[in-house]
């Protein structure tokens, strides 16, 4: 028995599904998940010693590649001084200053330990600030696993076919209005009907949890206008897109200024850091200044903050995003060309270090379009690529991640592997 299989068998006895987060299981593609032993640059190695080129990147954080020496050094140096104090540190101030400098919409920011905490807190804050209850989210967007957001959500919920979680009382989601992504008319209607009850819109400004789906032209602008008109809070959930699609996330790409932004993943450089921040008048409602309570024993953890700071420092180096984008573009153009040569219906999209691959003719603009893609083909592709040492996300409803270490020789090798896989599809 392979060591992966042995570990999985042991894991399933003591951990539900053998994993500590559902998307790690090969639930929708079948097979045994890779138990990772170590990771370096663009590669991971599993428990059987097999090397894979990794396009998951810890689901986003590993933008520098794994085990970046400067980040590891920062973590080691911080750890020597103690792992957690439960009292403020200079590092937290520097990280908050860095985030407010890099993202102009963030005037004040609060650090937390995960994306889930960031979005959950941002929603509470939006409700506290406006004194309203209703929130708008979009189908296929995933904002972590807080109760009120687990309705028609993306990521693992889509992958496993239960987009709305059990265990969430109907009353808890009675104030959550779920609309179609990219359907601005539906949002307009909702505001017409109950504009004075809507506390906020939370949106993945590029959706990355139903595969990658871009906002339609005018969609985000429309959300901004409606929120301004009706006094609702616009929350950009940039947990995935922040520092990933560009140095200022989607807000930098589009010039749209949200009222609040949620961040995680890249800003922790592989350690648990999340953040929510935005307009000063809204952030002033957070305890201890205001009445919206929010707290965390390990919030702003010194070791995690050191990893985040070391990561953000490297992202600010000139040309970083040009290299990242070139790496992703090389992969995506190569995959598209290889599929076309083989006559396989396939397309792809990318921005910065984020990409989507679709077994369909056109880039999807909605969850329905993603779902209409050839999911069976994806599964075949996933396993054939895994056999060739390439690790894509084990779900057709997840985006892919490229790091600055995925240089053209590495992405060319992935494309060559895909060419062989696509050629077999034809037969
Ligand atoms: N929001 C978005 C957009 C995400 O992609 C995720 C995680 N994939 C979350 C929130 C939740 O973050 P975490 O898993 O750190 O709780």
């Amino acid at each position: 028995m392979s060591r992966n299989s042995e570990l999985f068998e042991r894991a399933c006895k003591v951990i539900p599904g053998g994993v500590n987060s559902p998307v790690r299981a090969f639930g929708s593609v079948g097979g045994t998940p890779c138990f990772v032993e170590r990771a370096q640059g663009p590669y991971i190695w599993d428990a059987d010693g097999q090397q894979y080129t990794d396009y998951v990147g810890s689901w986003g954080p590993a933008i520098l590649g794994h085990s970046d020496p400067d980040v590891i050094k920062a973590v080691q140096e911080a750890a020597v001084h103690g792992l957690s104090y439960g009292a403020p540190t200079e590092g937290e101030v520097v990280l908050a200053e860095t985030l407010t400098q890099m993202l102009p919409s963030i005037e004040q920011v609060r650090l937390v330990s995960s994306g889930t905490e960031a979005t959950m807190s941002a929603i509470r804050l939006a409700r506290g600030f406006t004194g309203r209850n209703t929130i708008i989210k979009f189908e296929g967007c995933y904002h972590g696993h807080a109760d009120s957001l687990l309705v028609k959500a993306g990521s693992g919920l889509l992958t496993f076919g239960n987009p709305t979680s059990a265990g969430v009382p109907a009353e808890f989601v009675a104030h959550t209005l779920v609309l179609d992504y990219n359907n601005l008319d539906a949002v307009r209607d909702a505001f017409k009907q109950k504009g004075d009850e809507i506390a906020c819109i939370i949106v993945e400004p590029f959706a990355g949890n139903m595969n990658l789906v871009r906002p339609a032209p005018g969609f985000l602008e429309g959300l901004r206008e409606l929120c301004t008109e009706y006094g609702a809070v616009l929350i950009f959930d940039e947990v995935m897109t922040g520092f990933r699609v560009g140095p200022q996330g989607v807000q930098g790409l589009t010039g749209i200024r949200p009222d609040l932004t949620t961040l995680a993943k890249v800003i922790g450089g592989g350690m648990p850091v999340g953040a929510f921040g935005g307009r000063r008048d809204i952030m002033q409602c957070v305890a201890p200044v205001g009445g919206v309570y929010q707290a965390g024993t390990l919030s702003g953890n010194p070791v995690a903050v050191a990893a985040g700071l070391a990561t953000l420092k490297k992202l600010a180096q000139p040309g970083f995003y040009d290299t990242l984008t070139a790496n992703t573009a090389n992969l995506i153009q190569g995959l598209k060309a290889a599929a076309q040569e083989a006559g396989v219906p396939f397309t792809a999209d990318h921005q910065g270090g984020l990409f989507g691959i679709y077994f369909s003719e056109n880039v999807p603009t909605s969850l329905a379009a993603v779902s209409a893609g050839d999911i069976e083909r994806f599964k075949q592709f996933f396993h054939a690529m895994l056999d060739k040492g390439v690790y894509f996300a084990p779900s057709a409803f997840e985006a892919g991640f490229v790091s600055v270490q995925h240089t053209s020789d590495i992405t060319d090798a992935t494309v060559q592997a895909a060419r062989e896989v696509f050629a077999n599809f034809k037969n």
Side-chain angles (χ1 to χ4, degrees):
M1 190 192 265
S2 79
R3 183 127 170 81
N4 267 329
S5 305
E6 189 191 317
L7 285 171
F8 191 46
E9 214 176 273
R10 272 172 56 198
C12 286
K13 288 187 184 138
V14 286
I15 303 172
V19 291
N20 282 316
S21 195
V23 288
R24 293 179 197 173
F26 284 4
S28 67
V29 290
T32 306
C34 300
F35 281 69
V36 178
E37 258 182 16
R38 66 192 171 92
Q40 182 70 57
Y43 302 118
I44 53 172
W45 285 264
D46 73 7
D48 291 310
Q50 173 72 45
Q51 174 184 307
Y52 300 93
T53 304
D54 177 22
Y55 290 105
V56 176
S58 185
W59 301 98
I63 198 163
L64 302 178
H66 293 288
S67 311
D68 178 86
D70 296 319
V71 178
I72 299 292
K73 187 162 166 264
V75 167
Q76 286 170 335
E77 283 174 5
V80 168
H81 297 295
L83 299 180
S84 172
Y85 318 121
T89 62
E90 182 174 352
E92 293 164 83
V93 183
V94 179
L95 184 51
E97 285 169 349
T98 306
L99 293 175
T100 54
Q101 276 154 19
M102 291 178 96
L103 293 173
S105 76
I106 300 187
E107 293 168 350
Q108 286 206 315
V109 64
R110 171 62 62 85
L111 300 182
V112 294
S113 299
S114 67
T116 293
E117 279 182 81
T119 55
M120 179 184 75
S121 309
I123 295 279
R124 185 183 308 131
L125 175 57
R127 284 174 163 156
F129 174 74
T130 57
R132 304 172 182 175
N133 289 334
T134 302
I135 63 174
I136 292 179
K137 80 173 282 290
F138 297 97
E139 187 165 12
C141 285
Y142 178 70
H143 303 290
H145 62 92
D147 282 340
S148 65
L149 294 166
L150 279 183
V151 206
K152 295 190 181 172
S155 191
L157 292 100
L158 263 178
T159 300
F160 295 102
N162 294 313
T164 304
S165 174
V168 178
E171 291 85 348
F172 286 25
V173 290
H175 298 297
T176 304
L177 212 54
V178 187
L179 304 177
D180 282 340
Y181 195 78
N182 277 338
N183 185 346
L184 190 57
D185 285 341
V187 187
R188 209 172 276 126
D189 285 348
F191 272 101
K192 264 191 204 138
Q193 280 169 34
K194 40 171 85 182
D196 57 353
E197 294 168 35
I198 297 170
C200 66
I201 298 177
I202 185 164
V203 63
E204 282 187 72
F206 270 43
N209 284 288
M210 48 172 155
N211 208 326
L212 175 60
V213 176
R214 272 175 198 266
F219 179 60
L220 297 175
E221 290 82 352
L223 299 185
R224 177 64 279 175
E225 281 164 22
L226 286 166
C227 282
T228 304
E229 187 183 338
Y230 286 91
V233 175
L234 179 62
I235 307 172
F236 272 10
D237 180 357
E238 299 230 42
V239 163
M240 185 181 285
T241 54
F243 300 98
R244 160 95 15 217
V245 297
Q248 297 180 319
V250 179
Q251 48 199 280
L253 295 178
T254 59
I256 298 168
R257 195 178 169 108
D259 301 307
L260 292 177
T261 300
T262 52
L263 297 165
K265 298 190 190 270
V266 169
I267 65 162
M271 296 287 281
V273 181
F276 65 101
R279 271 169 47 189
R280 184 179 307 273
D281 58 334
I282 302 179
M283 291 305 289
Q284 286 289 306
C285 295
V286 178
V289 193
V292 176
Y293 199 71
Q294 188 282 325
T297 301
L298 295 177
S299 291
N301 174 271
V303 185
V305 163
L309 280 173
T311 302
L312 293 180
K313 197 168 164 191
K314 294 191 91 159
L315 302 187
Q317 284 169 358
F320 179 89
Y321 284 94
D322 295 336
T323 307
L324 183 69
T325 301
N327 289 355
T328 318
N330 197 55
L331 172 74
I332 293 310
Q333 281 157 15
L335 289 177
K336 279 163 76 169
Q340 201 175 10
E341 278 163 35
V344 174
F346 175 94
T347 190
D349 193 11
H350 66 100
Q351 188 76 48
L354 188 65
F355 69 86
I357 53 174
Y358 324 95
F359 285 89
S360 51
E361 299 285 353
N362 301 310
V363 171
T365 55
S366 67
L367 175 58
V370 175
S371 305
D374 192 338
I375 309 289
E376 284 309 312
R377 261 286 148 87
F378 169 79
K379 289 180 191 174
Q380 254 180 299
F381 176 75
F382 169 80
H383 275 294
M385 292 301 283
L386 195 69
D387 288 346
K388 290 179 180 294
V390 181
Y391 186 75
F392 283 106
S395 165
F397 295 102
E398 299 286 354
F401 302 91
V402 167
S403 82
V404 78
Q405 297 288 333
H406 287 75
T407 46
S408 59
D409 49 332
I410 288 159
T411 49
D412 284 349
T414 299
V415 169
Q416 181 52 31
R419 195 171 284 122
E420 290 161 21
V421 169
F422 288 147
N424 278 338
F425 276 179
K426 238 165 106 181
N427 302 331

PDB file of all heavy atoms in Angstrom, residues 153-182:
ATOM      1  N   ALA A 153     -23.395  28.793  -1.741  1.00  0.00           N
ATOM      2  CA  ALA A 153     -22.010  29.249  -1.764  1.00  0.00           C
ATOM      3  C   ALA A 153     -21.184  28.407  -2.735  1.00  0.00           C
ATOM      4  O   ALA A 153     -21.631  27.382  -3.244  1.00  0.00           O
ATOM      5  CB  ALA A 153     -21.436  29.177  -0.351  1.00  0.00           C
ATOM      6  N   GLY A 154     -19.938  28.863  -2.959  1.00  0.00           N
ATOM      7  CA  GLY A 154     -19.064  28.175  -3.905  1.00  0.00           C
ATOM      8  C   GLY A 154     -18.082  27.270  -3.198  1.00  0.00           C
ATOM      9  O   GLY A 154     -18.337  26.773  -2.107  1.00  0.00           O
ATOM     10  N   SER A 155     -16.957  27.039  -3.860  1.00  0.00           N
ATOM     11  CA  SER A 155     -15.863  26.227  -3.339  1.00  0.00           C
ATOM     12  C   SER A 155     -16.344  24.816  -2.981  1.00  0.00           C
ATOM     13  O   SER A 155     -17.072  24.205  -3.757  1.00  0.00           O
ATOM     14  CB  SER A 155     -15.228  26.934  -2.134  1.00  0.00           C
ATOM     15  OG  SER A 155     -14.031  26.303  -1.770  1.00  0.00           O
ATOM     16  N   GLY A 156     -15.970  24.321  -1.802  1.00  0.00           N
ATOM     17  CA  GLY A 156     -16.294  22.941  -1.441  1.00  0.00           C
ATOM     18  C   GLY A 156     -17.782  22.654  -1.451  1.00  0.00           C
ATOM     19  O   GLY A 156     -18.207  21.532  -1.720  1.00  0.00           O
ATOM     20  N   LEU A 157     -18.599  23.666  -1.191  1.00  0.00           N
ATOM     21  CA  LEU A 157     -20.045  23.422  -1.180  1.00  0.00           C
ATOM     22  C   LEU A 157     -20.541  23.073  -2.576  1.00  0.00           C
ATOM     23  O   LEU A 157     -21.381  22.200  -2.749  1.00  0.00           O
ATOM     24  CB  LEU A 157     -20.792  24.644  -0.618  1.00  0.00           C
ATOM     25  CG  LEU A 157     -20.548  24.898   0.873  1.00  0.00           C
ATOM     26  CD1 LEU A 157     -19.523  25.987   1.069  1.00  0.00           C
ATOM     27  CD2 LEU A 157     -21.833  25.229   1.583  1.00  0.00           C
ATOM     28  N   LEU A 158     -19.979  23.751  -3.576  1.00  0.00           N
ATOM     29  CA  LEU A 158     -20.341  23.442  -4.960  1.00  0.00           C
ATOM     30  C   LEU A 158     -19.762  22.095  -5.371  1.00  0.00           C
ATOM     31  O   LEU A 158     -20.444  21.276  -5.979  1.00  0.00           O
ATOM     32  CB  LEU A 158     -19.743  24.506  -5.885  1.00  0.00           C
ATOM     33  CG  LEU A 158     -20.627  25.660  -6.322  1.00  0.00           C
ATOM     34  CD1 LEU A 158     -19.820  26.600  -7.183  1.00  0.00           C
ATOM     35  CD2 LEU A 158     -21.839  25.143  -7.071  1.00  0.00           C
ATOM     36  N   THR A 159     -18.498  21.910  -5.004  1.00  0.00           N
ATOM     37  CA  THR A 159     -17.797  20.686  -5.387  1.00  0.00           C
ATOM     38  C   THR A 159     -18.558  19.458  -4.908  1.00  0.00           C
ATOM     39  O   THR A 159     -18.683  18.467  -5.616  1.00  0.00           O
ATOM     40  CB  THR A 159     -16.378  20.702  -4.782  1.00  0.00           C
ATOM     41  OG1 THR A 159     -15.701  21.839  -5.280  1.00  0.00           O
ATOM     42  CG2 THR A 159     -15.603  19.442  -5.122  1.00  0.00           C
ATOM     43  N   PHE A 160     -19.086  19.542  -3.685  1.00  0.00           N
ATOM     44  CA  PHE A 160     -19.753  18.376  -3.113  1.00  0.00           C
ATOM     45  C   PHE A 160     -21.270  18.413  -3.312  1.00  0.00           C
ATOM     46  O   PHE A 160     -21.994  17.585  -2.778  1.00  0.00           O
ATOM     47  CB  PHE A 160     -19.386  18.236  -1.628  1.00  0.00           C
ATOM     48  CG  PHE A 160     -17.920  17.949  -1.458  1.00  0.00           C
ATOM     49  CD1 PHE A 160     -17.043  18.945  -1.072  1.00  0.00           C
ATOM     50  CD2 PHE A 160     -17.413  16.695  -1.752  1.00  0.00           C
ATOM     51  CE1 PHE A 160     -15.685  18.687  -0.955  1.00  0.00           C
ATOM     52  CE2 PHE A 160     -16.050  16.424  -1.642  1.00  0.00           C
ATOM     53  CZ  PHE A 160     -15.182  17.427  -1.240  1.00  0.00           C
ATOM     54  N   GLY A 161     -21.754  19.395  -4.065  1.00  0.00           N
ATOM     55  CA  GLY A 161     -23.153  19.388  -4.472  1.00  0.00           C
ATOM     56  C   GLY A 161     -24.146  19.800  -3.402  1.00  0.00           C
ATOM     57  O   GLY A 161     -25.340  19.569  -3.548  1.00  0.00           O
ATOM     58  N   ASN A 162     -23.677  20.391  -2.317  1.00  0.00           N
ATOM     59  CA  ASN A 162     -24.598  20.904  -1.292  1.00  0.00           C
ATOM     60  C   ASN A 162     -24.329  22.386  -1.066  1.00  0.00           C
ATOM     61  O   ASN A 162     -23.731  22.752  -0.055  1.00  0.00           O
ATOM     62  CB  ASN A 162     -24.394  20.174   0.044  1.00  0.00           C
ATOM     63  CG  ASN A 162     -24.773  18.719  -0.041  1.00  0.00           C
ATOM     64  OD1 ASN A 162     -25.822  18.393  -0.564  1.00  0.00           O
ATOM     65  ND2 ASN A 162     -23.913  17.860   0.444  1.00  0.00           N
ATOM     66  N   PRO A 163     -24.757  23.226  -1.991  1.00  0.00           N
ATOM     67  CA  PRO A 163     -24.356  24.643  -1.915  1.00  0.00           C
ATOM     68  C   PRO A 163     -24.847  25.361  -0.662  1.00  0.00           C
ATOM     69  O   PRO A 163     -24.351  26.438  -0.346  1.00  0.00           O
ATOM     70  CB  PRO A 163     -24.951  25.269  -3.166  1.00  0.00           C
ATOM     71  CG  PRO A 163     -25.396  24.139  -4.014  1.00  0.00           C
ATOM     72  CD  PRO A 163     -25.582  22.938  -3.157  1.00  0.00           C
ATOM     73  N   THR A 164     -25.837  24.790   0.022  1.00  0.00           N
ATOM     74  CA  THR A 164     -26.287  25.414   1.263  1.00  0.00           C
ATOM     75  C   THR A 164     -26.065  24.423   2.392  1.00  0.00           C
ATOM     76  O   THR A 164     -26.529  23.290   2.340  1.00  0.00           O
ATOM     77  CB  THR A 164     -27.781  25.789   1.150  1.00  0.00           C
ATOM     78  OG1 THR A 164     -27.934  26.641   0.006  1.00  0.00           O
ATOM     79  CG2 THR A 164     -28.266  26.521   2.377  1.00  0.00           C
ATOM     80  N   SER A 165     -25.335  24.848   3.412  1.00  0.00           N
ATOM     81  CA  SER A 165     -24.928  23.913   4.456  1.00  0.00           C
ATOM     82  C   SER A 165     -26.099  23.485   5.339  1.00  0.00           C
ATOM     83  O   SER A 165     -26.979  24.288   5.650  1.00  0.00           O
ATOM     84  CB  SER A 165     -23.860  24.571   5.332  1.00  0.00           C
ATOM     85  OG  SER A 165     -23.548  23.744   6.430  1.00  0.00           O
ATOM     86  N   ALA A 166     -26.057  22.222   5.776  1.00  0.00           N
ATOM     87  CA  ALA A 166     -26.944  21.782   6.849  1.00  0.00           C
ATOM     88  C   ALA A 166     -26.464  22.404   8.153  1.00  0.00           C
ATOM     89  O   ALA A 166     -25.319  22.862   8.243  1.00  0.00           O
ATOM     90  CB  ALA A 166     -26.911  20.262   6.951  1.00  0.00           C
ATOM     91  N   GLY A 167     -27.324  22.443   9.139  1.00  0.00           N
ATOM     92  CA  GLY A 167     -26.916  22.946  10.451  1.00  0.00           C
ATOM     93  C   GLY A 167     -27.022  24.448  10.591  1.00  0.00           C
ATOM     94  O   GLY A 167     -26.569  25.005  11.584  1.00  0.00           O
ATOM     95  N   VAL A 168     -27.568  25.108   9.574  1.00  0.00           N
ATOM     96  CA  VAL A 168     -27.750  26.559   9.661  1.00  0.00           C
ATOM     97  C   VAL A 168     -29.254  26.828   9.746  1.00  0.00           C
ATOM     98  O   VAL A 168     -29.978  26.592   8.776  1.00  0.00           O
ATOM     99  CB  VAL A 168     -27.161  27.281   8.425  1.00  0.00           C
ATOM    100  CG1 VAL A 168     -27.405  28.774   8.507  1.00  0.00           C
ATOM    101  CG2 VAL A 168     -25.664  26.990   8.293  1.00  0.00           C
ATOM    102  N   PRO A 169     -29.747  27.261  10.896  1.00  0.00           N
ATOM    103  CA  PRO A 169     -31.191  27.493  11.041  1.00  0.00           C
ATOM    104  C   PRO A 169     -31.699  28.496   9.998  1.00  0.00           C
ATOM    105  O   PRO A 169     -30.996  29.462   9.682  1.00  0.00           O
ATOM    106  CB  PRO A 169     -31.315  28.085  12.451  1.00  0.00           C
ATOM    107  CG  PRO A 169     -30.083  27.650  13.165  1.00  0.00           C
ATOM    108  CD  PRO A 169     -29.009  27.564  12.128  1.00  0.00           C
ATOM    109  N   ALA A 170     -32.895  28.244   9.486  1.00  0.00           N
ATOM    110  CA  ALA A 170     -33.468  29.128   8.456  1.00  0.00           C
ATOM    111  C   ALA A 170     -33.476  30.576   8.935  1.00  0.00           C
ATOM    112  O   ALA A 170     -33.251  31.508   8.161  1.00  0.00           O
ATOM    113  CB  ALA A 170     -34.881  28.664   8.114  1.00  0.00           C
ATOM    114  N   GLU A 171     -33.711  30.748  10.248  1.00  0.00           N
ATOM    115  CA  GLU A 171     -33.768  32.121  10.789  1.00  0.00           C
ATOM    116  C   GLU A 171     -32.436  32.847  10.617  1.00  0.00           C
ATOM    117  O   GLU A 171     -32.396  34.052  10.456  1.00  0.00           O
ATOM    118  CB  GLU A 171     -34.116  32.096  12.289  1.00  0.00           C
ATOM    119  CG  GLU A 171     -35.526  31.652  12.608  1.00  0.00           C
ATOM    120  CD  GLU A 171     -35.671  30.123  12.687  1.00  0.00           C
ATOM    121  OE1 GLU A 171     -34.720  29.402  12.270  1.00  0.00           O
ATOM    122  OE2 GLU A 171     -36.727  29.663  13.135  1.00  0.00           O
ATOM    123  N   PHE A 172     -31.334  32.064  10.674  1.00  0.00           N
ATOM    124  CA  PHE A 172     -30.009  32.675  10.570  1.00  0.00           C
ATOM    125  C   PHE A 172     -29.731  33.228   9.172  1.00  0.00           C
ATOM    126  O   PHE A 172     -28.890  34.094   9.006  1.00  0.00           O
ATOM    127  CB  PHE A 172     -28.903  31.666  10.913  1.00  0.00           C
ATOM    128  CG  PHE A 172     -28.774  31.344  12.378  1.00  0.00           C
ATOM    129  CD1 PHE A 172     -29.841  31.475  13.250  1.00  0.00           C
ATOM    130  CD2 PHE A 172     -27.562  30.898  12.885  1.00  0.00           C
ATOM    131  CE1 PHE A 172     -29.722  31.165  14.597  1.00  0.00           C
ATOM    132  CE2 PHE A 172     -27.432  30.586  14.236  1.00  0.00           C
ATOM    133  CZ  PHE A 172     -28.511  30.717  15.086  1.00  0.00           C
ATOM    134  N   VAL A 173     -30.388  32.642   8.177  1.00  0.00           N
ATOM    135  CA  VAL A 173     -30.138  33.102   6.807  1.00  0.00           C
ATOM    136  C   VAL A 173     -31.339  33.843   6.229  1.00  0.00           C
ATOM    137  O   VAL A 173     -31.382  34.160   5.048  1.00  0.00           O
ATOM    138  CB  VAL A 173     -29.728  31.933   5.882  1.00  0.00           C
ATOM    139  CG1 VAL A 173     -28.345  31.441   6.256  1.00  0.00           C
ATOM    140  CG2 VAL A 173     -30.725  30.800   5.928  1.00  0.00           C
ATOM    141  N   ALA A 174     -32.300  34.126   7.118  1.00  0.00           N
ATOM    142  CA  ALA A 174     -33.503  34.823   6.654  1.00  0.00           C
ATOM    143  C   ALA A 174     -33.156  36.219   6.123  1.00  0.00           C
ATOM    144  O   ALA A 174     -33.878  36.775   5.304  1.00  0.00           O
ATOM    145  CB  ALA A 174     -34.509  34.932   7.799  1.00  0.00           C
ATOM    146  N   HIS A 175     -32.050  36.748   6.582  1.00  0.00           N
ATOM    147  CA  HIS A 175     -31.664  38.096   6.151  1.00  0.00           C
ATOM    148  C   HIS A 175     -30.623  38.077   5.033  1.00  0.00           C
ATOM    149  O   HIS A 175     -30.034  39.093   4.714  1.00  0.00           O
ATOM    150  CB  HIS A 175     -31.109  38.882   7.336  1.00  0.00           C
ATOM    151  CG  HIS A 175     -32.091  39.085   8.439  1.00  0.00           C
ATOM    152  ND1 HIS A 175     -33.255  39.804   8.264  1.00  0.00           N
ATOM    153  CD2 HIS A 175     -32.109  38.655   9.720  1.00  0.00           C
ATOM    154  CE1 HIS A 175     -33.941  39.817   9.391  1.00  0.00           C
ATOM    155  NE2 HIS A 175     -33.279  39.123  10.296  1.00  0.00           N
ATOM    156  N   THR A 176     -30.338  36.870   4.507  1.00  0.00           N
ATOM    157  CA  THR A 176     -29.351  36.776   3.411  1.00  0.00           C
ATOM    158  C   THR A 176     -30.093  36.645   2.085  1.00  0.00           C
ATOM    159  O   THR A 176     -30.834  35.692   1.867  1.00  0.00           O
ATOM    160  CB  THR A 176     -28.442  35.539   3.603  1.00  0.00           C
ATOM    161  OG1 THR A 176     -27.827  35.604   4.892  1.00  0.00           O
ATOM    162  CG2 THR A 176     -27.346  35.506   2.536  1.00  0.00           C
ATOM    163  N   LEU A 177     -29.877  37.613   1.218  1.00  0.00           N
ATOM    164  CA  LEU A 177     -30.513  37.606  -0.098  1.00  0.00           C
ATOM    165  C   LEU A 177     -29.467  37.123  -1.094  1.00  0.00           C
ATOM    166  O   LEU A 177     -28.393  37.735  -1.203  1.00  0.00           O
ATOM    167  CB  LEU A 177     -30.898  39.054  -0.409  1.00  0.00           C
ATOM    168  CG  LEU A 177     -32.114  39.356  -1.243  1.00  0.00           C
ATOM    169  CD1 LEU A 177     -33.348  38.691  -0.670  1.00  0.00           C
ATOM    170  CD2 LEU A 177     -32.300  40.873  -1.312  1.00  0.00           C
ATOM    171  N   VAL A 178     -29.760  36.010  -1.788  1.00  0.00           N
ATOM    172  CA  VAL A 178     -28.763  35.475  -2.728  1.00  0.00           C
ATOM    173  C   VAL A 178     -29.201  35.778  -4.155  1.00  0.00           C
ATOM    174  O   VAL A 178     -30.293  35.390  -4.577  1.00  0.00           O
ATOM    175  CB  VAL A 178     -28.599  33.950  -2.560  1.00  0.00           C
ATOM    176  CG1 VAL A 178     -27.446  33.455  -3.426  1.00  0.00           C
ATOM    177  CG2 VAL A 178     -28.349  33.592  -1.098  1.00  0.00           C
ATOM    178  N   LEU A 179     -28.354  36.478  -4.891  1.00  0.00           N
ATOM    179  CA  LEU A 179     -28.685  36.861  -6.263  1.00  0.00           C
ATOM    180  C   LEU A 179     -27.656  36.267  -7.230  1.00  0.00           C
ATOM    181  O   LEU A 179     -26.622  35.774  -6.803  1.00  0.00           O
ATOM    182  CB  LEU A 179     -28.710  38.390  -6.379  1.00  0.00           C
ATOM    183  CG  LEU A 179     -29.658  39.104  -5.397  1.00  0.00           C
ATOM    184  CD1 LEU A 179     -29.547  40.622  -5.549  1.00  0.00           C
ATOM    185  CD2 LEU A 179     -31.108  38.668  -5.628  1.00  0.00           C
ATOM    186  N   ASP A 180     -27.976  36.328  -8.543  1.00  0.00           N
ATOM    187  CA  ASP A 180     -27.043  35.789  -9.542  1.00  0.00           C
ATOM    188  C   ASP A 180     -25.886  36.748  -9.765  1.00  0.00           C
ATOM    189  O   ASP A 180     -26.100  37.954  -9.951  1.00  0.00           O
ATOM    190  CB  ASP A 180     -27.768  35.585 -10.888  1.00  0.00           C
ATOM    191  CG  ASP A 180     -28.611  34.334 -10.867  1.00  0.00           C
ATOM    192  OD1 ASP A 180     -28.362  33.459 -10.021  1.00  0.00           O
ATOM    193  OD2 ASP A 180     -29.530  34.242 -11.709  1.00  0.00           O
ATOM    194  N   TYR A 181     -24.676  36.174  -9.765  1.00  0.00           N
ATOM    195  CA  TYR A 181     -23.477  36.971 -10.064  1.00  0.00           C
ATOM    196  C   TYR A 181     -23.636  37.575 -11.461  1.00  0.00           C
ATOM    197  O   TYR A 181     -24.125  36.918 -12.382  1.00  0.00           O
ATOM    198  CB  TYR A 181     -22.249  36.046 -10.023  1.00  0.00           C
ATOM    199  CG  TYR A 181     -20.925  36.769  -9.957  1.00  0.00           C
ATOM    200  CD1 TYR A 181     -20.477  37.313  -8.765  1.00  0.00           C
ATOM    201  CD2 TYR A 181     -20.119  36.889 -11.084  1.00  0.00           C
ATOM    202  CE1 TYR A 181     -19.248  37.965  -8.684  1.00  0.00           C
ATOM    203  CE2 TYR A 181     -18.886  37.541 -11.011  1.00  0.00           C
ATOM    204  CZ  TYR A 181     -18.467  38.072  -9.816  1.00  0.00           C
ATOM    205  OH  TYR A 181     -17.254  38.715  -9.738  1.00  0.00           O
ATOM    206  N   ASN A 182     -23.244  38.798 -11.603  1.00  0.00           N
ATOM    207  CA  ASN A 182     -23.269  39.504 -12.892  1.00  0.00           C
ATOM    208  C   ASN A 182     -24.669  39.915 -13.340  1.00  0.00           C
ATOM    209  O   ASN A 182     -24.842  40.351 -14.477  1.00  0.00           O
ATOM    210  CB  ASN A 182     -22.591  38.692 -14.015  1.00  0.00           C
ATOM    211  CG  ASN A 182     -21.084  38.896 -13.988  1.00  0.00           C
ATOM    212  OD1 ASN A 182     -20.605  39.896 -13.449  1.00  0.00           O
ATOM    213  ND2 ASN A 182     -20.337  37.973 -14.571  1.00  0.00           N
TER     214      ASN A 182
END
